[in-house]
Amino acid sequence: MFIEQKQRPAKVSRRDAEAKLVECRNKFLGFLRKRLRNPQDAEDVFQDFCLKVLRNHASIKNGERLDAWLGITLRHTLTDHYRRQATRKAWADAYANEAKLTEPETEGVDDTVCRCISVALKELEPAQIELLTRLDLQEEPRIAIAADLAVSQNALRVRVHRARAELKKRITEICPLCGGGRFMQCGSDHSLKGS
């Protein structure tokens, strides 16, 4: 009768863990890409996985294989990612719901709003309409608009000034009250003529 001697494997060194990560990088990324829609998310999870491995490689129990430990750690890292993602989504949903609750009620307001501005805006040149819409309604930065139109900041400033002056002129033609700055006091009956 022979007595079996159990060989206790030595603890895994950092160098062994690094070598295994480099060797199996494509395999690990392939696993993550199959489960995540976004390749960047897969890269991020892989980075988190590498950090976990390098921080905790010494915790591998005697007799446990490095490959099995890496597989378990990779699945745990992916699960952590899913949990963080679900938490972020829950917070975003809660924030959106909170924003809806704190928004002022706008239903029914449209019936009493003066339409003079929108009527006057429709009478402008298409380039002026686009410029004022992007700048004042969509609040795009002037730098982005100037770059998109391939003009300098000064040239854009002049175009905006001219478009606003033309809009004011059209508003005054449509409604003297609104042209004088007394919006919402005109009753909007005359603005329907231009529609």
Side-chain angles (χ1 to χ4, degrees):
M1 303 242 164
F2 294 99
I3 299 176
E4 292 183 28
Q5 292 182 356
K6 292 184 179 179
Q7 292 182 348
R8 291 187 173 193
K11 288 192 174 190
V12 175
S13 69
R14 182 180 175 102
R15 186 172 293 161
D16 292 339
E18 288 174 357
K20 197 61 159 176
L21 288 173
V22 170
E23 176 187 331
C24 298
R25 180 181 194 281
N26 291 334
K27 177 180 161 186
F28 295 141
L29 278 173
F31 174 84
L32 293 170
R33 285 184 182 130
K34 285 179 187 176
R35 285 152 181 84
L36 298 169
R37 292 183 184 132
N38 188 346
Q40 291 171 341
D41 286 345
E43 289 285 341
D44 290 344
V45 172
F46 180 70
Q47 289 297 320
D48 291 343
F49 166 67
C50 289
L51 288 173
K52 279 186 180 182
V53 169
L54 295 177
R55 286 182 186 144
N56 301 316
H57 66 85
S59 69
I60 298 177
K61 297 173 187 165
N62 286 339
E64 192 173 18
R65 291 189 2 236
L66 178 60
D67 292 337
W69 184 81
L70 288 173
I72 291 168
T73 304
L74 181 63
R75 285 190 289 279
H76 287 201
T77 306
L78 182 60
T79 302
D80 292 343
H81 171 75
Y82 287 142
R83 287 181 184 147
R84 280 192 306 270
Q85 200 173 35
T87 302
R88 273 189 228 114
K89 184 180 181 329
W91 277 105
D93 291 346
Y95 180 77
N97 289 337
E98 181 74 22
K100 286 179 187 175
L101 293 175
T102 59
E103 273 183 12
E105 197 62 38
T106 57
E107 286 183 30
V109 173
D110 201 39
D111 297 337
T112 61
V113 171
C114 174
R115 294 185 192 97
C116 301
I117 296 174
S118 62
V119 171
L121 189 62
K122 291 176 186 174
E123 293 182 5
L124 296 178
E125 295 177 17
Q128 291 176 328
I129 294 171
E130 179 187 2
L131 179 62
L132 292 177
T133 301
R134 290 176 68 183
L135 184 67
D136 294 331
L137 300 178
Q138 297 173 351
E139 298 179 351
E140 287 186 43
R142 286 180 182 249
I143 294 172
I145 296 171
D148 191 34
L149 297 175
V151 297
S152 69
Q153 290 278 338
N154 289 336
L156 180 67
R157 190 174 296 120
V158 170
R159 287 184 185 186
V160 169
H161 174 74
R162 289 179 181 161
R164 286 180 177 160
E166 185 64 26
L167 179 62
K168 183 176 180 180
K169 178 182 164 191
R170 298 292 171 100
I171 291 172
T172 304
E173 290 172 0
I174 292 171
C175 176
L177 286 174
C178 291
R182 297 189 337 214
F183 298 100
M184 304 297 295
Q185 297 176 5
C186 70
S188 297
D189 294 338
H190 48 276
S191 65
L192 297 175
K193 297 174 195 169
S195 299

